[in-house]
Amino acid sequence: MKKLLVAATALVFGLGLSNVSGAFAGSSRDYISIVGSSTVYPFATVVAEQFGKSTAFKTPKIESTGSGGGHKLFGAGVGVQHPDITNSSRRIKKSELEKAMKNGVKEIVEVKIGYDGIVVANSKKATAMKLTRKDLFLALAKDVPSGNVAGKTVPNPYKTWKDVNPALPDIKIEVLGPPPTSGTRDAFVELAMEGGAKKFAWIKALKKQDKKAYKALCHTIREDGAYIEAGENDNLIVQKLEANPNALGIFGFSFLDQNTDKVQGSFIDGVQPEFDAIADGSYPVSRPLFFYVKKAHVNTIPGIKEFLAEFTSEQAWGDEGYLTDKGLIPMPADERAKYQAAVKNLTPLTLGDL
Amino acid sequence: MSNSDAINGSGNGRVRTMDIVNKGLAKRYKRERRFRMMGLSAIILSLAFLSLLFISIIANGYTAFEQTMIQLDVHLDAQEIDKENLAAANYLGLIRTSLKKTFPDVKKRRDKRKMYNLVSPGASFMLQDFVMRNRHEIGNTITIWVPADDDVDMLMKGNIKRDVPESERRMNDMQLSWVDKLIASGQIKKVFNTTFFTAGDSREPELAGIWGAACGSFYTLIVTLLLSFPIGVAAAVYLEEFAPTNRWTDLIEVNINNLAAVPSIVFGLLGLAVFLNFFELPRSAPLVGGLVLTLMTLPTIIIASRAALKSVPPSIREAALGVGASKTQMVTHHVLPLALPGMLTGTIIGMAQALGETAPLLMIGMVAFIVDIPGGFTDPSTVLPVQIFLWADSPERAFLERTSAAIMILLAFLVTMNAVAVLLRKKFERRW
Amino acid sequence: MQMTAAEQTAEQAEADMKQEEATPEETVKKSGKRKLVAREERATVGEMAVENPRMSCRNVDVYYNFGEKKAINNISLDIGRNEVIAMIGPSGCGKSTFLRCLNRMNDTIEGCQVKGEISMDGKNIYDKDVDVVPLRAQVGMVFQKPNPFPKSIYENIAYGPKIHGLVQNRDETDELVENSLKRAGLWNEVKDRLDQPGTGLSGGQQQRLCIARTIAVNPEIILMDEPCSALDPIATAIIEDLIDELKQEYTIAIVTHSMQQASRVSQRTAYFHLGDLIEIGPTDQIFLNPLHQLTEDYITGRFG
């Protein structure tokens, strides 16, 4: 008993000492640390795995923290305890870049990797919906324009899709979508809802006069039960759609791609979310995906250069690359060439670029 | 009845008591039966739910223990493989050549891509490993079993239905015909999925394994155990045996009880602020995870240990003091050994709680995609429940069954831990 | 000083009898006339002092709950060498509390305060520089309920000597264990199962094991707190015989509920009542010619 206690105490102290020395002497890291968007996560992980298997470097560690969380961690400073790369499902904000620069992260290389489509889908048991962005705005906004009077809004009165647009079926509006913390939700609100709202001339004009009011109108989703926050787990949304053929769901294209036997994408502005339609830009609800590299780390953390080369190689992000298997929509060839060059030269982003 | 008749005759007072007792007797027994039934049905209900849980997990997950493999005849072209630099060879090309030979009539570019995707992207790495281990085979044609792609795997396991229209399937008719051909020639089979138990995480379901997360959980729990058990027991012993009862110790006691009810995410935030930002320990390391979980489990262990100490009869303490043992000797020689089984139980409960925790680890970066199997306390790693969470969130269908399989592994871990706890308790209790 | 108290009591109680100057012997003689000290009197009567005492207690007060409750009140008595002194009295009279003061077991009770002087061989055991560990090695204790350690019989005996460093090796320990068990009259019953748990013995055997454990440390005084109250008459008789033997070497203070036991084993007896020491004297005298009405009441079974 006594010996056991002594041994345990010794171990604890030994461990404690090794911590401290590890913390202060361990100023090196032999793997790449990546944080950021959960939308880019499935793509970044594939590249990381490929990179880890095909090179002598360790496999990068990737945390899914969301775009905002990623930028916060990324911009906190330079040094091994800070991540080297952050993924983002939107472009870095000016404020985020300024903050990073203030924290000593002076040079950041921006890499666009491709596009992601956001789909509105329903069960295969029902017929595909033919929606417009205006329909989506009217069906899901908290306040909608009343009549044709400019500036006048009423709380969303629509109960069925038919109320929104007589061409649509007489089905209760029921949409399962991600919570406000999700990048998918941000993009949906920005691309679909705002796009639909802009169809009203006075709302479009409002953008110039009162940006805050404009955003509040376009970006606020109704809270009366027609829009159901289904959590971050997109698999769950797919399962719920299967159980309820009248419901629509909002999620990333990669989930539609993996579940084509269960769900179908709705037409938006006449275009169905398909690989080619998103790639050529005719599908309206798609967004670019990015990652950002800390230039100061490139020479201190082993493998960053090689990782960037892997990510930007044709076999990864090209038209036939393995990322397309995972649902990434590739950029056109000339855009790829542009970002490849940026990676090669490690051209940093300036405030003027944003 | 004859008995009560006999009593009837014996006296008036007694007759009345017996009558009253007899009258209420049936009701009393009925109430007892009802109470027993309620208890029994509660047990049955919980057992039913438990078995429902197990059945659904096992039904979903047992297929993950099998993996579809495809046999390929690969010609290890001596010209393609540089003996001096084995890693540089185009193994993917070799695999593709082999597939082309298997299905010579596939000509269109799009179809070829589909054909290449019959086998896992990991196949080329398997081939590379094979060549590195068997240099002498270069130049020969070898037969190698490589994992099939997750879609093929799902088809073989019946998770992709053949009888639905082509447009509603993830695999088209042509792909089905290829698989059929492989089945007919015996070049496809299901084997025990060793990858699942030996590999780290992967984005390809057929290459993903639980071992990396299991190692991460192991290292994390080792840290937690080594820190929380001695600290918890020491704190409990001090509070229970040595500390005076005054306002301060009352305050400490109340706070420990409150800490036990604090949501675990709060400990994660604390860990982020203290261990990562202040002490600058590495992110995503089991060391930090263990420290955070130590904070979380300490109250549980302290409370359980104090209860165990309280339950040691005072007569033992008096006996020890009576022969002249000092207070510390009394505690270490007599009280602690008797309280140890209870303390161990508390510790195991705390450990089990720590094993299943994800929320506090989110803040310190252990919710991450980590392929390499951690080899120490500062390597980036994840833990079992996080792995389950990550897989549950992955789009690929084949991760569904792996999620259930991972849950089974986690449960197995828990059952093993509890078994160890029971064994330890038995062992220590046998020492009276 | 204590005598003075006794005198004063007598004076107040039976002022007209003018017995202030009476020596204890005279008191005994007087008691032959059955003139008893009245029930209301609380000062100690009888001979509390002995020559060359092993322990002597003067004006001991014990309080519980940080002074809120007074448990025993101004007790003074001596414990002689190689004698058995019995302490009797109804429940709650403070006899156990007093006994536990003698090896400072009351220290373990939170809020318990002891005032007055208890000295052993001339040294106050409540002095600041006194260490309780050697004190308890010198003043052993046997408790009301047999409480062997949950260890083997051998370990039970060997534990005390081991922690005090009385034995150096296994042979010495073996010898000491055997001797202690022999002196406690338990050896023949347990010699073949020394590795068995002590808790597996019968109640009487357990209590003798506890006595053996106590004498293994070779104390000078053994305190026994109702050692037979949980035992049957046969086991009790064995223990009583054992006490008789032990008194050759040890001073024994025994608290008991049984007056028969007190009369059988002790040379002197102290009668406690509600925290006061009422009467103390040779056992024969206490039981045959008590000086105090309360003692008389108790031994004749009027209460308690």
Side-chain angles (χ1 to χ4, degrees):
Chain A
M1 183 64 215
K2 208 170 179 179
K3 271 181 195 161
L4 203 89
L5 271 178
V6 170
T9 325
L11 252 167
V12 169
F13 275 95
L15 206 78
L17 277 177
S18 68
N19 289 347
V20 173
S21 63
F24 296 110
S27 51
S28 71
R29 172 151 55 77
D30 59 352
Y31 57 90
I32 302 170
S33 168
I34 303 175
V35 294
S37 161
S38 53
T39 314
V40 186
Y41 173 87
F43 309 125
T45 47
V46 180
V47 178
E49 199 178 340
Q50 181 73 22
F51 168 77
K53 286 206 170 113
S54 58
T55 66
F57 298 105
K58 282 197 172 175
T59 311
K61 177 197 88 184
I62 304 177
E63 281 178 61
S64 164
T65 62
S67 301
H71 283 299
K72 202 172 156 197
L73 286 166
F74 179 78
V78 172
V80 283
Q81 69 270 34
H82 302 294
D84 313 313
I85 294 174
T86 184
N87 299 320
S88 182
S89 57
R90 55 167 171 77
R91 210 166 184 207
I92 190 170
K93 288 181 192 160
K94 204 165 187 175
S95 58
E96 287 166 342
L97 185 61
E98 277 164 356
K99 196 155 186 210
M101 288 183 162
K102 217 178 83 198
N103 288 335
V105 190
K106 297 270 185 256
E107 293 179 303
I108 297 172
V109 181
E110 180 185 63
V111 185
K112 193 185 198 180
I113 60 165
Y115 296 91
D116 177 40
I118 292 166
V119 301
V120 180
N122 64 352
S123 165
K124 279 233 147 168
K125 290 172 209 155
T127 48
M129 296 278 271
K130 289 194 172 62
L131 301 165
T132 64
R133 280 181 284 174
K134 193 175 162 187
D135 295 338
L136 283 170
F137 170 68
L138 289 177
L140 295 177
K142 191 173 182 194
D143 297 303
V144 293
S146 161
N148 276 330
V149 189
K152 193 175 173 221
T153 58
V154 290
N156 198 327
Y158 306 118
K159 294 273 179 269
T160 68
W161 289 105
K162 204 181 166 93
D163 294 344
V164 174
N165 180 350
L168 292 172
D170 188 10
I171 302 173
K172 206 176 125 203
I173 298 172
E174 209 176 336
V175 178
L176 298 151
T181 47
S182 155
T184 312
R185 159 99 166 237
D186 289 346
F188 175 79
V189 161
E190 201 169 302
L191 298 165
M193 304 247 308
E194 196 178 326
K198 276 197 219 159
K199 299 272 154 55
F200 294 89
W202 69 267
I203 298 183
K204 202 172 177 183
L206 184 67
K207 186 175 183 181
K208 292 219 174 86
Q209 296 154 11
D210 185 352
K211 209 166 177 188
K212 242 185 185 162
Y214 168 79
K215 270 210 159 158
L217 181 61
C218 299
H219 288 197
T220 314
I221 284 185
R222 66 197 292 184
E223 285 156 357
D224 56 359
Y227 182 88
I228 302 148
E229 280 175 12
E232 292 266 20
N233 190 330
D234 293 348
N235 272 331
L236 207 67
I237 299 186
V238 172
Q239 276 176 29
K240 283 183 179 162
L241 290 184
E242 231 193 330
N244 181 1
N246 284 339
L248 293 182
I250 298 169
F251 42 82
F253 175 72
S254 50
F255 279 84
L256 178 68
D257 197 36
Q258 290 285 338
N259 293 287
T260 45
D261 55 336
K262 289 179 180 165
V263 290
Q264 58 191 350
S266 309
F267 290 86
I268 293 183
D269 295 348
V271 188
Q272 215 170 4
E274 271 161 357
F275 190 89
D276 298 325
I278 299 171
D280 65 21
S282 58
Y283 182 75
V285 195
S286 75
R287 58 175 159 175
L289 303 175
F290 299 90
F291 68 81
Y292 293 86
V293 189
K294 217 174 264 177
K295 196 174 172 184
H297 283 193
V298 170
N299 289 322
T300 52
I301 307 291
I304 294 190
K305 259 188 199 146
E306 291 78 0
F307 178 74
L308 295 180
E310 174 70 38
F311 213 133
T312 58
S313 69
E314 281 299 305
Q315 66 152 340
W317 74 355
D319 287 331
E320 305 267 286
Y322 55 75
L323 287 177
T324 61
D325 291 343
K326 291 288 167 191
L328 181 77
I329 318 291
M331 295 180 283
D334 53 335
E335 214 176 353
R336 290 207 296 272
K338 181 187 146 200
Y339 280 104
Q340 244 156 10
V343 164
K344 205 165 258 168
N345 304 328
L346 294 171
T347 327
L349 193 67
T350 61
L351 282 169
D353 292 340
L354 295 174
Chain B
M1 269 334 268
S2 66
N3 240 346
S4 66
D5 283 343
I7 292 164
N8 276 349
S10 63
N12 252 344
R14 252 189 202 175
V15 174
R16 284 202 46 209
T17 312
M18 280 312 294
D19 281 349
I20 293 168
V21 169
N22 283 337
K23 223 160 76 188
L25 215 52
K27 208 172 160 192
R28 229 151 77 184
Y29 285 143
K30 214 166 136 192
R31 202 180 300 153
E32 275 175 28
R33 263 201 306 276
R34 202 159 55 222
F35 187 75
R36 269 206 304 259
M37 282 304 292
M38 264 169 3
L40 190 66
S41 45
I43 296 238
I44 289 173
L45 197 69
S46 40
L47 276 181
F49 277 118
L50 195 66
S51 48
L52 193 72
L53 173 78
F54 276 121
I55 287 169
S56 73
I57 287 172
I58 291 171
N60 274 330
Y62 79 97
T63 46
F65 297 118
E66 276 188 333
Q67 168 64 39
T68 309
M69 303 291 273
I70 291 177
Q71 190 192 43
L72 289 180
D73 297 316
V74 184
H75 177 59
L76 299 176
D77 197 336
Q79 283 171 336
E80 288 275 342
I81 303 170
D82 180 2
K83 281 202 177 181
E84 302 308 310
N85 188 2
L86 289 175
N90 182 6
Y91 296 101
L92 190 62
L94 294 176
I95 298 268
R96 288 184 172 175
T97 316
S98 158
L99 276 166
K100 270 186 242 169
K101 263 188 237 156
T102 317
F103 304 104
D105 43 347
V106 181
K107 290 282 180 280
K108 272 197 278 181
R109 205 178 128 70
R110 239 194 130 103
D111 294 344
K112 272 191 196 163
R113 253 178 72 91
K114 287 220 156 77
M115 178 186 72
Y116 297 151
N117 284 347
L118 280 177
V119 299
S120 163
S124 55
F125 302 111
M126 275 188 72
L127 185 64
Q128 183 176 346
D129 281 352
F130 177 86
V131 173
M132 290 197 170
R133 271 183 284 115
N134 306 289
R135 280 162 177 271
H136 60 275
E137 294 278 13
I138 295 173
N140 301 342
T141 298
I142 55 147
T143 303
I144 186 171
W145 285 93
V146 296
D149 189 62
D150 52 319
D151 283 339
V152 178
D153 191 38
M154 288 294 99
L155 178 76
M156 292 295 286
K157 288 172 181 170
N159 291 351
I160 292 179
K161 299 266 183 297
R162 282 163 178 269
D163 50 7
V164 292
E166 187 175 4
S167 64
E168 296 180 11
R169 254 191 261 124
R170 269 193 60 76
M171 296 183 82
N172 63 23
D173 289 342
M174 191 174 22
Q175 284 167 301
L176 288 190
S177 72
W178 294 334
V179 174
D180 288 337
K181 195 183 159 197
L182 288 173
I183 293 172
S185 63
Q187 281 178 288
I188 194 164
K189 67 173 179 186
K190 282 191 276 184
V191 299
F192 180 70
N193 191 355
T194 47
T195 314
F196 185 73
F197 294 98
T198 55
D201 196 7
S202 169
R203 287 288 299 137
E204 305 299 333
E206 67 273 14
L207 302 178
I210 197 78
W211 185 241
C215 284
S217 272
F218 176 75
Y219 288 126
T220 309
L221 285 189
I222 287 280
V223 174
T224 309
L225 182 68
L226 286 184
L227 289 173
S228 63
F229 185 63
I231 296 176
V233 168
V237 167
Y238 180 76
L239 284 175
E240 200 56 46
E241 303 289 339
F242 296 101
T245 21
N246 56 28
R247 211 174 299 161
W248 289 111
T249 45
D250 282 353
L251 191 75
I252 289 172
E253 182 163 355
V254 168
N255 276 310
I256 288 173
N257 291 341
N258 282 343
L259 272 183
V262 165
S264 54
I265 186 90
V266 176
F267 291 106
L269 286 165
L270 183 70
L272 176 69
V274 176
F275 301 125
L276 295 189
N277 294 347
F278 185 73
F279 285 111
E280 302 195 341
L281 294 174
R283 260 183 96 80
S284 313
L287 176 67
V288 182
L291 286 168
V292 168
L293 293 178
T294 298
L295 296 180
M296 197 195 78
T297 49
L298 262 182
T300 313
I301 294 181
I302 293 175
I303 291 168
S305 299
R306 289 188 69 177
L309 287 170
K310 269 197 193 114
S311 70
V312 173
S315 64
I316 299 296
R317 291 163 213 264
E318 286 192 330
L321 293 176
V323 297
S326 67
K327 202 151 186 194
T328 314
Q329 284 172 329
M330 169 193 93
V331 171
T332 53
H333 296 168
H334 301 284
V335 179
L336 263 187
L338 286 176
L340 203 60
M343 291 174 164
L344 280 177
T345 313
T347 308
I348 296 286
I349 291 171
M351 288 295 121
Q353 197 187 346
L355 178 64
E357 201 59 66
T358 54
L361 302 181
L362 189 72
M363 306 311 298
I364 54 160
M366 285 187 85
V367 179
F369 173 74
I370 286 150
V371 175
D372 297 335
I373 289 160
F377 293 102
T378 51
D379 284 356
S381 57
T382 185
V383 293
L384 284 168
V386 169
Q387 191 65 77
I388 292 167
F389 166 74
L390 288 176
W391 283 352
D393 208 17
S394 299
E396 287 81 4
R397 186 76 58 80
F399 273 125
L400 212 70
E401 57 173 33
R402 275 163 177 79
T403 306
S404 293
I407 292 171
M408 280 191 252
I409 303 287
L410 181 64
L411 289 177
F413 241 81
L414 279 172
V415 170
T416 316
M417 272 173 72
N418 280 331
V420 168
V422 170
L423 279 178
L424 277 176
R425 229 155 64 201
K426 279 262 161 66
K427 188 169 174 266
F428 280 112
E429 264 173 359
R430 211 170 286 151
R431 288 175 55 193
W432 332 295
Chain C
M1 187 174 99
Q2 200 56 20
M3 286 300 292
T4 328
E7 284 165 10
Q8 282 167 354
T9 320
E11 188 176 28
Q12 282 155 4
E14 298 166 45
D16 58 324
M17 292 196 67
K18 305 260 182 235
Q19 283 189 332
E20 310 96 303
E21 303 303 322
T23 59
E25 292 80 52
E26 283 168 334
T27 318
V28 174
K29 277 180 210 154
K30 294 266 155 66
S31 73
K33 296 175 203 156
R34 312 297 295 156
K35 283 278 183 186
L36 297 177
V37 179
R39 288 197 181 98
E40 291 71 31
E41 289 307 321
R42 287 294 183 269
T44 309
V45 294
E47 178 56 86
M48 62 87 203
V50 299
E51 231 166 82
N52 190 18
R54 171 121 277 164
M55 284 192 108
S56 98
C57 312
R58 291 292 177 271
N59 307 87
V60 177
D61 292 332
V62 177
Y63 299 86
Y64 286 128
N65 286 345
F66 303 97
E68 260 176 40
K69 194 188 149 207
K70 197 167 189 182
I72 59 179
N73 182 24
N74 198 24
I75 286 180
S76 300
L77 64 78
D78 284 350
I79 299 172
R81 287 169 199 273
N82 293 16
E83 72 166 359
V84 177
I85 179 167
M87 298 170 195
I88 58 170
S91 293
C93 67
K95 55 194 189 298
S96 284
T97 300
F98 177 71
L99 189 76
R100 291 166 64 93
C101 290
L102 299 180
N103 67 346
R104 293 183 58 175
M105 273 312 264
N106 281 338
D107 288 14
T108 61
I109 298 168
E110 216 173 334
C112 176
Q113 294 163 346
V114 178
K115 291 190 178 135
E117 190 188 323
I118 300 177
S119 55
M120 187 164 100
D121 298 330
K123 170 80 185 158
N124 187 353
I125 63 169
Y126 278 87
D127 272 356
K128 280 218 171 75
D129 60 341
V130 171
D131 187 345
V132 292
V133 168
L135 172 70
R136 288 184 193 144
Q138 277 175 289
V139 186
M141 188 155 192
V142 176
F143 297 86
Q144 182 171 3
K145 220 182 106 206
N147 56 351
F149 296 129
K151 296 174 189 289
S152 70
I153 294 171
Y154 184 94
E155 283 286 314
N156 261 286
I157 309 294
Y159 177 71
K162 259 185 201 162
I163 57 168
H164 294 304
L166 304 182
V167 286
Q168 303 303 329
N169 52 43
R170 178 84 197 188
D171 288 341
E172 278 180 41
T173 317
D174 285 349
E175 199 186 320
L176 185 64
V177 168
E178 186 176 338
N179 274 338
S180 307
L181 283 171
K182 274 182 176 157
R183 274 151 82 195
L186 196 60
W187 175 250
N188 288 331
E189 290 160 64
V190 301
K191 64 181 176 208
D192 301 324
R193 44 172 175 152
L194 290 176
D195 56 341
Q196 303 269 307
T199 44
L201 298 172
S202 74
Q205 287 173 325
Q206 283 190 21
Q207 196 60 299
R208 276 181 284 152
L209 180 66
C210 291
I211 293 172
R213 179 176 70 190
T214 308
I215 58 183
V217 186
N218 198 22
E220 284 157 37
I221 302 169
I222 301 174
L223 310 177
M224 294 187 176
D225 189 357
E226 300 181 34
C228 301
S229 63
L231 305 182
D232 64 35
I234 296 167
T236 304
I238 297 172
I239 302 260
E240 283 176 8
D241 289 346
L242 178 59
I243 293 172
D244 227 31
E245 270 171 50
L246 290 175
K247 78 166 185 245
Q248 314 299 326
E249 288 168 72
Y250 305 101
T251 301
I252 296 173
I254 178 169
V255 165
T256 177
H257 260 133
S258 151
M259 283 176 278
Q260 289 85 343
Q261 185 170 63
S263 68
R264 279 194 297 264
V265 301
S266 70
Q267 282 80 57
R268 290 204 309 150
T269 296
Y271 172 67
F272 286 71
H273 183 85
L274 294 176
D276 292 305
L277 175 57
I278 298 297
E279 183 169 352
I280 178 166
T283 301
D284 292 347
Q285 185 201 314
I286 293 279
F287 283 99
L288 299 175
N289 293 307
L291 297 177
H292 201 290
Q293 185 67 49
L294 284 169
T295 318
E296 162 99 1
D297 289 351
Y298 184 68
I299 61 172
T300 54
R302 224 167 284 171
F303 67 83

